[in-house]
Amino acid sequence: MKKSSAKRKQRNPAETRQRIVDAAIQLILKQGYSATTVDQICAGAGLTKGSFFHHFENKEAIGRAALQAWGDFGTMLYAEAWKNQRRDPLKQLHVMLDIMAGFTERPDQTCTCVVGMLSQELAQSHPDLREECARQLERWTENTALMLAAAKKKHAPRAAFDPVAVAWFLNSLWQGSMLIAKTCQTPEMIRANLKFARAYVDGLFDRN
């Protein structure tokens, strides 16, 4: 029994680190980066400051980790759109837009984004975090551009377009819609904008 109890009490560094990151993400989504303190993160994770500083050098380090974890989480959810390689790439884009719209329909959660929030809050004051935000925004754009390029090969485009430029437009629409909807408390506006985005994407191709 003593050995079993000892095993249960053994430290799991990966689990501890993840608890810290999860707590930081929840606080950032609720109140932003600047208002979030290391003490609050430790309280949210149920850990000591010693545990925090064992895994993270400072608050900026947990900010980078939160951005990376959020990006991984989002990419995992969006991957549902493109995991079926036999699916028409235009349908893949439709599925991705549906996934995005689904984020607005959770009654207990505001549709917002850690990357977008930190981009807005810290781009002028924290160069390292700005660069990490840029990497995560580029990641979303690259995945979307790949689907647009595949759709361009499968369906005749009505006019020449750059898949990367269109992907950045969709990224801007998505992030901007979340910002406005959070401020005005209108998640319905996000869904309406995503319908416009779908119509715009469909309008790029001649499928008759």
Side-chain angles (χ1 to χ4, degrees):
M1 292 294 292
K2 288 183 179 180
K3 288 184 178 181
S4 176
S5 177
K7 286 182 179 179
R8 284 198 300 269
K9 292 180 181 179
Q10 284 179 350
R11 295 179 181 176
N12 184 329
E15 181 181 309
T16 299
R17 186 182 190 281
Q18 190 61 51
R19 284 168 62 185
I20 296 170
V21 172
D22 289 344
I25 287 173
Q26 292 307 311
L27 285 163
I28 290 169
L29 288 172
K30 180 181 179 181
Q31 62 192 33
Y33 176 86
S34 297
T36 296
T37 66
V38 171
D39 285 334
Q40 290 174 331
I41 294 170
C42 293
L47 296 166
T48 65
K49 288 180 78 171
S51 295
F52 177 93
F53 287 110
H54 177 75
H55 292 277
F56 300 100
E57 181 181 0
N58 49 38
K59 184 181 170 184
E60 191 160 302
I62 187 62
R64 284 195 298 272
L67 286 166
Q68 291 162 4
W70 185 261
D72 290 344
F73 173 67
T75 300
M76 178 190 70
L77 295 178
Y78 291 129
E80 182 66 27
W82 61 75
K83 72 177 185 180
N84 183 353
Q85 294 298 310
R86 292 177 295 180
R87 177 183 284 158
D88 185 317
L90 195 53
K91 177 61 177 176
Q92 291 179 345
L93 286 159
H94 291 168
V95 171
M96 188 185 74
L97 291 168
D98 288 343
I99 291 170
M100 292 157 66
F103 297 151
T104 72
E105 297 170 351
R106 299 171 295 181
D108 58 333
Q109 297 183 45
T110 301
C111 182
T112 190
C113 172
V114 170
V115 177
M117 289 181 69
L118 268 66
S119 297
Q120 183 75 8
E121 187 178 354
L122 305 175
Q124 301 302 317
S125 58
H126 291 68
D128 288 346
L129 291 178
R130 182 199 63 76
E131 289 178 5
E132 186 57 43
C133 287
R135 277 192 288 271
Q136 297 304 327
L137 291 170
E138 287 165 2
R139 186 180 183 184
W140 189 98
T141 300
E142 288 169 0
N143 285 324
T144 304
L146 286 172
M147 290 184 285
L148 285 163
K152 192 175 181 181
K153 287 183 179 180
K154 184 175 180 63
H155 303 287
R158 290 184 173 175
F161 71 88
D162 179 0
V164 175
V166 173
W168 273 118
F169 164 71
L170 294 173
N171 199 345
S172 301
L173 180 145
W174 174 227
Q175 290 292 339
S177 295
M178 284 189 285
L179 174 65
I180 295 171
K182 183 175 67 173
T183 303
C184 301
Q185 298 292 292
T186 54
E188 299 82 6
M189 185 269 291
I190 301 178
R191 292 193 287 274
N193 283 354
L194 291 174
K195 288 182 180 178
F196 288 132
R198 179 168 175 157
Y200 169 76
V201 169
D202 286 352
L204 295 172
F205 304 99
D206 185 358
R207 295 188 293 158
N208 295 330

